[in-house]
């Protein structure tokens, strides 16, 4: 039986049996139903979204009631006006018999047309809807492409979009330009090897650049006459920016791992002597730049917390926006920062974003740039009293200092060991930020200690922090996690019998490695949507495109050697393993379910202890769960599982 092959009846039967056993086990855990109810209540504010002002209209994903429904896409005549529904994914879900989720809301510059991408059952096949905003009716244009990113032409007559396709067995991102009301055409071009691409257009439409890359953003190409021409090709470092007339205002990390801000003339972009440095490297990690009404808006991180500053054209800081306590801001209610994930959405002379902290749920902000005015459109509905937030440091295997945030109730006696949960990611240039998450909050409320570890492979402290935890030095990420765990144990805060670790996606690789490399450290491990076979992902085009740059290319012998050393599937040995719950989405194209099947099967065969090793596969889900009931059920499953393993009582007192 080959558990890698989804087509084998034996494989399907094996997965169904494993899934049924896991579901039955999880359903019997004390406090699981209480935990789902509490998480569902805490998740409500994670459905907040920024408001996008275009042409005197404001667009937003908004929850119209507190029931188990996805946010609708609505338009308003003023930022906080009465919403009029344009796209209802709940109605689409009923109509299609599958969970439909809205991925992106992109109104045209004049506010007359809404472009909206939706996805069914987490499969990451993105359907583009085009809506006439005035009438609410669909446009006759039928777009068959799997649209990943869309950028409108300045006059609202059409758009650029990058799409996803598998061509000759390889993942590619063909680029299209479509004018509304015209016949569809073939792709204008297909950029060279890249996971993602976004078109960047100047306000007057004169300059069109292509931003490519996943972890490292590049602006190598400019588009003229339907062809790619070198722009910043060959120049070292990453680049991400926005046009200001005939200049590009860009963030680059060349010789500045935390980033510096430069003005680059489009006409002489390849000649660095013509560049002007606007802002030198500092303790801020630069993340996003935009030009709004002639003002430069700059989003950055400092000590793993988000900040916003306004600069004039010469780079002088003219305003530091007071965001209050350390926390996360973003274009989505997701407590992480990534170079390709906007910290804010740009509207007409304004920006908008959502924000949260460890003890305050997500709220919606609008900042009027010309007026220098910050407005709270939707206040947080949950503000938790009595949480203590501190920072702690551990010394990793190479002597580096690894920080972590520690959160617990003020009345919890941390002078004696307590059930403790570490969340780690450590990859892809992502920064994990202090933010409000339903499962984290529920854990702390129940009396557990929560630890957010800022591991290398992440980028809370710049691109060097990322590069020190990837490819041939990926083991360093794992060592950072072990250092944090050992520090918590040495300090007396917890013990191996009370310590759990949780990771998702790339964090699923982290937790997979933690299981096979250091089973002695953990009482429980939750590994969600993981990549676990680092030599086998070459057979899945999307996974291979994502993984080969971050981890290494298994088709290259020298890289395959270091991949084999850290691949969890290839390092399972007989041992007494902790309680392990591996979870996966049946429709996940990024981290296919077969990784989880193979790993769990090997662990179960190698287990010499008594702790359970379970596989839970969620049908009609992909890389994440959509819908309040599905999300709360999944989070209650894993949280109650690790609570049981560590001895934390999560049952409601009522």
């Amino acid at each position: 039986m080959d558990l890698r092959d989804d087509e084998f009846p034996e494989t399907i039967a094996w997965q169904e049996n494993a899934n049924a056993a896991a579901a039955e086990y999880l359903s019997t855990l004390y406090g699981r139903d209480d935990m789902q109810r509490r998480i569902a209540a805490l998740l409500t504010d994670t459905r907040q979204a920024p408001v996008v002002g275009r042409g005197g209209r404001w667009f937003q994903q908004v929850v119209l009631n507190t029931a188990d429904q996805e946010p609708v896409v609505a338009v308003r005549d003023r930022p906080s006006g009465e919403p009029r529904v344009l796209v209802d994914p709940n109605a689409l879900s009923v109509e299609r018999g599958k969970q439909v989720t809205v991925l992106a809301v992109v109104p045209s510059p004049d506010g007359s047309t809404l472009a909206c991408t939706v996805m069914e059952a987490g499969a990451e096949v993105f359907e583009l809807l085009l809506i006439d905003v005035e009438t609410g009716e669909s446009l006759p244009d039928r777009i068959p492409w799997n649209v990943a990113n869309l950028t409108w032409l300045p006059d609202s007559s059409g758009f650029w979009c990058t799409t996803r396709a598998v061509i000759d067995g390889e993942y590619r991102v063909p680029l299209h330009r479509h004018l509304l009301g015209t016949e569809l055409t073939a792709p204008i071009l297909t950029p060279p090897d890249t996971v993602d691409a976004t078109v960047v257009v100047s306000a007057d439409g004169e300059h069109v650049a292509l931003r490519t890359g996943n972890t490292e953003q590049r602006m190598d190409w400019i588009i003229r006459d339907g062809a790619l021409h070198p722009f910043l090709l060959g120049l070292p470092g990453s680049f991400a920016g926005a046009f200001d007339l005939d200049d590009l205002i860009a963030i680059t990390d060349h010789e500045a791992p935390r980033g510096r801000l430069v003005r680059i003339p489009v006409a002489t972009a390849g000649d660095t002597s013509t560049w002007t440095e606007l802002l030198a490297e500092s303790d801020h990690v630069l993340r996003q730049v935009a030009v709004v009404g002639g003002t430069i808006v700059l989003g950055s991180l400092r000590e793993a917390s988000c900040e916003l500053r306004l600069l004039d054209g010469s780079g002088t800081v003219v305003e530091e926006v007071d965001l209050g306590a350390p926390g996360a801001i973003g274009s989505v209610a997701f407590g992480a920062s990534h170079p390709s994930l906007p910290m804010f959405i740009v509207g007409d002379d304004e920006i908008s974003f959502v924000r949260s902290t460890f003890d305050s749920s997500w709220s919606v902000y609008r900042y009027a740039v010309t007026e220098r005015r910050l407005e709270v459109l939707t206040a947080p509905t949950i503000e938790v009293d009595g949480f203590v937030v501190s920072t702690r440091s551990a010394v990793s295997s190479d002597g580096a200092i690894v920080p972590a945030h520690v959160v617990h109730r003020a009345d919890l006696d941390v002078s004696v060991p307590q059930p403790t949960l570490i969340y780690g990611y450590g990859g892809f240039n992502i920064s994990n930020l202090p933010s409000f998450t339903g499962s984290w909050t529920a854990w702390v409320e129940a009396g557990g200690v929560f630890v957010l570890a800022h591991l290398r492979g992440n980028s809370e402290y710049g691109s060097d922090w990322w590069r020190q935890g990837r490819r041939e030095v990926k083991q360093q990420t794992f060592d950072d996690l072990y250092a944090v765990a050992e520090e918590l144990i040495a300090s007396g805060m917890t013990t191996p019998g009370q310590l759990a670790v949780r990771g998702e996606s790339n964090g699923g690789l982290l937790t997979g490695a933690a299981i096979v490399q250091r089973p002695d450290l953990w009482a429980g491990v939750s590994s969600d949507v993981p990549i676990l076979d680092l030599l086998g992902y070459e057979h899945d085009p999307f996974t291979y495109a994502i993984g080969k740059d971050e981890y290494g290319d298994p088709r290259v012998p020298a890289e395959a050697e270091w991949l084999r050393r850290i691949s969890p599937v290839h390092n399972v040995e007989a041992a007494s393993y902790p309680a392990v719950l591996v979870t996966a989405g049946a429709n996940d194209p990024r981290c296919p379910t077969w990784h989880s099947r193979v790993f769990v099967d090997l662990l179960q065969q190698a287990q010499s202890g008594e702790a359970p090793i379970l596989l839970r596969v969620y049908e009609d889900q992909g890389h994440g769960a959509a819908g309040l009931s599905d999300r709360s059920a999944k989070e209650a499953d894993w949280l109650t599982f690790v609570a049981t393993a560590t001895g934390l009582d999560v049952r409601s007192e009522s």
Side-chain angles (χ1 to χ4, degrees):
M1 177 174 61
D2 184 0
L3 290 179
R4 291 172 172 81
D5 195 330
D6 290 311
E7 301 300 321
F8 281 12
E10 296 88 346
T11 298
I12 296 171
W14 186 96
Q15 178 172 302
E16 289 176 347
N17 290 335
N19 200 32
E24 180 179 2
Y25 179 92
L26 294 169
S27 69
T28 65
L29 296 178
Y30 288 115
R32 190 218 164 274
D33 293 343
D34 291 336
M35 185 55 64
Q36 181 173 356
R37 283 189 289 270
R38 182 55 182 153
I39 290 174
L42 293 169
L43 284 176
T44 300
D45 273 7
T46 62
R47 298 182 292 174
Q48 302 288 7
V51 61
V52 187
R54 288 281 189 269
R57 291 175 166 132
W58 282 265
F59 301 81
Q60 187 181 25
Q61 288 181 258
V62 59
V63 178
L64 293 183
N65 54 57
T66 57
D68 180 21
Q69 291 194 329
E70 285 290 289
V72 301
V73 182
V75 62
R76 310 173 192 261
D77 293 329
R78 58 185 188 279
S80 56
E82 189 69 21
R84 174 167 59 90
V85 176
L86 295 175
V87 178
D88 184 354
N90 306 289
L92 292 175
S93 296
V94 172
E95 177 185 315
R96 301 180 184 188
K98 294 183 178 180
Q99 179 73 57
V100 175
T101 308
V102 174
L103 272 298
V105 176
V106 191
S108 61
D110 64 4
S112 66
T113 308
L114 172 69
C116 177
T117 53
V118 299
M119 172 180 69
E120 291 184 2
E124 294 196 34
V125 177
F126 306 137
E127 176 187 353
L128 180 63
L129 308 178
L130 295 170
I131 308 295
D132 182 303
V133 175
E134 185 66 34
T135 66
E137 299 297 321
S138 297
L139 297 188
D141 305 64
R142 294 291 178 264
I143 308 300
W145 315 310
N146 186 3
V147 175
N149 295 293
L150 182 144
T151 303
W152 282 97
L153 300 176
D155 64 1
S156 302
S157 63
F159 53 82
W160 292 92
C161 66
T162 53
T163 61
R164 292 180 177 181
V166 175
I167 301 173
D168 296 329
E170 299 293 334
Y171 174 84
R172 290 290 182 262
V173 287
L175 174 66
H176 295 259
R177 183 176 184 270
H178 176 68
L179 296 178
L180 298 179
T182 67
E183 295 293 324
L184 299 178
T185 59
I188 288 180
L189 49 90
T190 299
D193 194 10
T194 183
V195 173
D196 199 13
T198 302
V199 173
V200 181
V201 181
S202 63
D204 58 8
E206 288 297 312
H207 307 299
V208 181
L210 192 64
R211 190 183 75 208
T212 61
N214 183 25
T215 50
E216 184 174 53
Q217 303 288 291
R218 296 283 308 174
M219 297 186 75
D220 288 333
W221 309 100
I222 199 161
I223 303 171
R224 296 192 183 99
D225 302 321
L228 292 177
H229 298 269
F231 186 43
L232 299 175
L233 184 66
L235 297 175
S238 63
F239 294 92
F243 286 109
D244 181 23
L245 300 177
D246 292 328
D247 295 335
L248 179 75
I249 309 297
I251 297 169
T252 180
D253 68 348
H254 177 52
E255 297 182 345
R258 292 176 181 251
R260 61 191 183 100
L261 192 68
V262 295
R263 180 181 290 274
I264 303 174
V266 173
T268 59
D271 182 0
T272 58
S273 68
T274 65
W275 298 9
T276 302
E277 184 172 84
L278 300 178
L279 204 63
E281 184 185 28
S282 68
D283 59 350
H284 297 262
V285 179
L286 306 189
R287 257 331 195 214
Q288 181 185 358
V289 63
V291 180
V292 183
T295 298
I296 298 171
V297 182
L298 184 63
S300 58
L301 308 176
R302 186 159 56 172
E303 295 304 320
S305 182
C306 293
E307 297 188 340
L308 282 174
R309 290 174 289 170
L310 306 184
L311 292 72
D312 64 18
S314 68
T316 301
V317 176
V318 297
E319 179 88 5
E320 294 189 5
V321 181
D322 184 4
L323 297 176
I329 70 171
S331 58
V332 293
F334 174 55
S337 172
H338 185 270
S340 68
L341 183 64
M343 292 179 72
F344 52 84
I345 298 294
V346 177
D348 295 338
D349 196 36
E350 65 186 35
I351 62 170
S352 181
F353 52 89
V354 292
R355 180 180 182 274
S356 78
T357 65
F358 278 128
D359 54 7
S360 180
S361 62
W362 292 92
S363 50
V364 182
Y365 284 74
R366 172 178 175 263
Y367 185 82
V369 175
T370 301
E371 301 173 34
R372 304 285 195 268
R373 179 171 54 85
L374 184 65
E375 178 183 3
V376 180
L377 295 179
T378 305
T381 60
I382 302 171
E383 296 192 74
V384 183
D385 293 326
F387 277 17
V388 174
V389 180
S390 62
T391 56
R392 186 176 292 259
S393 297
V395 180
S396 193
S397 57
D398 63 349
I401 305 300
V402 181
H405 278 90
V406 178
V407 188
H408 59 82
R409 285 189 342 214
D411 63 352
L412 187 70
D413 184 2
V414 291
S415 68
V416 298
Q418 299 289 351
T420 299
L421 171 65
I422 302 176
Y423 181 88
Y425 187 81
F428 289 93
N429 211 359
I430 281 177
S431 300
N432 291 120
L433 308 174
S435 59
F436 192 89
T437 301
S439 54
W440 301 354
T441 305
W443 176 271
V444 176
E445 285 182 334
V449 176
F450 175 73
V451 179
L452 181 62
H454 303 293
L455 312 174
R456 278 175 288 181
N458 278 6
S459 56
E460 290 91 337
Y461 304 98
S463 59
D464 275 359
W465 198 251
W466 163 52
R467 292 188 174 95
Q468 290 169 24
R470 66 189 292 260
R471 294 179 63 77
E472 70 273 16
V473 292
K474 186 62 190 171
Q475 180 63 43
Q476 197 63 66
T477 300
F478 312 149
D479 289 352
D480 287 359
L481 172 65
Y482 310 151
V484 171
E486 289 167 341
E487 168 61 26
L488 295 169
I489 294 167
S491 71
M493 183 169 283
T494 193
T495 65
Q498 296 169 290
L499 182 59
V501 62
R502 160 77 172 178
E504 303 159 343
S505 192
N506 170 79
L509 167 63
L510 171 75
T511 45
I515 293 165
V516 299
Q517 292 183 7
R518 292 297 306 273
D520 58 302
L521 276 180
W522 325 105
V525 180
S526 168
S527 184
D528 185 36
V529 291
I531 288 291
L532 297 163
D533 184 342
L534 298 187
L535 297 179
Y537 63 64
E538 64 164 313
H539 301 296
D540 299 299
F542 189 25
T543 312
Y544 175 65
I546 294 172
K548 65 179 180 179
D549 289 334
E550 183 72 8
Y551 305 135
D553 190 339
R555 297 175 184 174
V556 177
E559 298 183 17
E561 287 184 17
W562 79 57
L563 289 171
R564 182 178 295 276
R565 287 195 295 270
I566 64 171
S567 174
V569 160
H570 294 87
N571 288 279
V572 175
E573 298 177 348
S576 179
Y577 288 107
V580 173
L581 175 63
V582 179
T583 50
N587 300 325
D588 190 348
R590 294 172 179 264
C591 303
T593 308
W594 69 260
H595 287 263
S596 298
R597 284 197 300 264
V598 170
F599 186 59
V600 167
D601 181 49
L602 291 171
L603 283 180
Q604 288 175 341
Q605 294 182 52
Q607 172 69 296
S608 63
E610 299 298 323
I613 297 173
L614 304 175
L615 171 66
R616 181 73 172 94
V617 179
Y618 296 92
E619 299 298 327
D620 297 324
Q621 293 184 23
H623 205 55
L628 200 60
S629 62
D630 284 352
R631 288 181 62 192
S632 60
K634 181 178 180 179
E635 294 199 17
D637 281 347
W638 74 259
L639 196 68
T640 313
F641 180 85
V642 296
T644 301
T646 58
L648 180 66
D649 188 348
V650 296
R651 290 175 293 180
S652 171
E653 293 181 358
S654 61

